[in-house]
Amino acid sequence: MSFFESYDPVFNSYVLGNAPVKQHATGFDWVEGPVWFGDADCLLFSDIPNNRILRWTPDIGISTYRAPSNFANGHTRDHQGRLISCEHGSRSVTRTEHDGTITTLADGFEGKRLNSPNDVVVKSDGSVWFSDPHYGIMTNYEGHKSPSELPCQVYRIDPETGSVEAMVRDMNCPNGLAFSPDESKLYVADTGRMFSDDPKHMRVYDMTSGTPANGRHFHTIEPGASDGFRLDTDGNIWSSAGDGVHCISPDGKLLGKILVPELVSNVCFGGRGKQQLFITATTSIYSIKLNRQGVQTP
């Protein structure tokens, strides 16, 4: 059985022919937001409809990290190793302190409530960037059905003042996001408004004096859409897709695919040397070892 489809010879050097796609656990409803904790040798991820954050530990398996989780979705870590989470239920971005207490970093903008923060990254200056589509408040499945008070935008939380600023305003529904390794570019997936025929594609922005500019089409995932993605140290994008994980070059070319038997929602690099790609896909978590290294995170 082949786990790969190659569209460019360089992709063959990124994958290891005898390294399988492994299913580590299954039986969930919709898993999202994988984040690797190397110091604890575990993966955290969200099972959104079941309102919980779970932990997978090699040789041990699944345990509950937090329940209820306020319908948490995407996660990352800051430069102090703390968990940063997007919560649909509280319509906020939170930080879990080292003592386990939870600090709200953002829950509104210009006097209005956020929609349902979805995915999050931390820049080298400590600023927290997150997407705020409306998916978590459109139904009661992944949160609490409520009207939107704000457009769907990408925001930045200042690390010193805690102020919130809208940074990307030209999308229908921003979703996954990540910076290039040198932080000269910001990639954002636009997965469109729920119950609409909006185009689904990835956009790229040039970072000019800390501000995204010159937004333009970067790549369209087929089949499916780009939900969540992460980059390797050479700037290749490893994105969720309808048939697995797609590897896209920095110039927007599809290099190859890792085939996964479920709809993929998100990915992250972890494991020894950050060369293991963890994959959340509908009801299961998977991983595969690559000849690639993910951009370093805490």
Side-chain angles (χ1 to χ4, degrees):
M1 175 182 177
S2 175
F3 296 102
F4 312 110
E5 288 183 5
S6 179
Y7 298 91
D8 188 288
V10 71
F11 181 74
N12 299 327
S13 67
Y14 292 172
V15 298
L16 303 167
N18 61 347
V21 174
K22 290 185 177 181
Q23 184 188 67
H24 296 294
T26 191
F28 315 112
D29 283 348
W30 175 246
V31 287
E32 251 280 13
V35 57
W36 177 253
F37 275 66
D39 46 355
D41 193 31
C42 71
L43 181 81
L44 298 185
F45 63 97
S46 297
D47 183 10
I48 306 177
N50 291 311
N51 196 17
R52 58 186 180 170
I53 301 171
L54 299 174
R55 178 196 296 110
W56 174 79
T57 306
D59 301 324
I60 296 175
I62 296 294
S63 59
T64 299
Y65 175 80
R66 179 178 298 153
S69 66
N70 283 325
F71 296 95
N73 187 338
H75 306 281
T76 191
R77 299 182 78 185
D78 68 9
H79 300 302
Q80 290 71 47
R82 297 170 294 191
L83 177 68
I84 308 294
S85 302
C86 292
E87 299 180 0
H88 290 179
S90 64
R91 298 168 72 161
S92 68
V93 178
T94 65
R95 181 177 66 217
T96 302
E97 309 296 346
H98 292 302
D99 64 3
T101 60
I102 299 174
T103 300
T104 297
L105 301 182
D107 59 6
F109 178 66
E110 295 183 339
K112 298 179 180 179
R113 297 186 70 188
L114 297 174
N115 294 310
S116 52
N118 187 289
D119 206 352
V120 59
V121 292
V122 176
K123 201 166 177 279
S124 62
D125 63 1
S127 59
V128 177
W129 295 62
F130 68 95
S131 60
D132 186 41
H134 61 200
Y135 302 129
I137 58 172
M138 293 298 288
T139 70
N140 288 314
Y141 186 59
E142 295 185 3
H144 309 294
K145 186 175 181 180
S146 303
S148 292
E149 298 179 22
L150 288 165
C152 299
Q153 302 177 129
V154 172
Y155 296 94
R156 175 187 185 271
I157 304 172
D158 187 272
E160 301 299 329
T161 67
S163 63
V164 180
E165 182 180 3
M167 305 302 289
V168 175
R169 299 173 178 262
D170 62 346
M171 288 193 162
N172 291 314
C173 254
N175 200 325
L177 73 169
F179 288 98
S180 61
D182 63 1
E183 297 185 343
S184 66
K185 291 182 171 57
L186 172 67
Y187 300 92
V188 187
D190 189 345
T191 44
R193 291 164 294 184
M194 190 176 286
F195 314 124
S196 77
D197 294 324
D198 290 340
K200 298 176 175 61
H201 54 245
M202 300 174 70
R203 291 174 62 79
V204 62
Y205 299 81
D206 299 317
M207 293 298 294
T208 305
S209 300
T211 301
N214 189 30
R216 58 202 181 274
H217 176 270
F218 174 70
H219 184 83
T220 298
I221 292 287
E222 292 178 335
S226 177
D227 189 341
F229 52 89
R230 289 294 180 260
L231 276 71
D232 65 27
T233 52
D234 288 330
N236 300 298
I237 295 94
W238 297 79
S239 172
S240 63
D243 55 354
V245 177
H246 291 192
C247 178
I248 306 153
S249 71
D251 60 1
K253 179 183 178 182
L254 175 64
L255 301 178
K257 300 179 180 181
I258 301 170
L259 303 178
V260 179
E262 298 183 77
L263 176 67
V264 173
S265 62
N266 215 328
V267 301
C268 78
F269 283 93
R272 184 169 62 89
K274 295 288 179 66
Q275 292 180 316
Q276 188 170 359
L277 187 70
F278 289 95
I279 303 165
T280 51
T282 313
T283 67
S284 308
I285 57 168
Y286 299 84
S287 79
I288 185 168
K289 294 181 179 178
L290 300 173
N291 187 29
R292 292 283 85 202
Q293 184 177 48
V295 172
Q296 293 299 310
T297 55

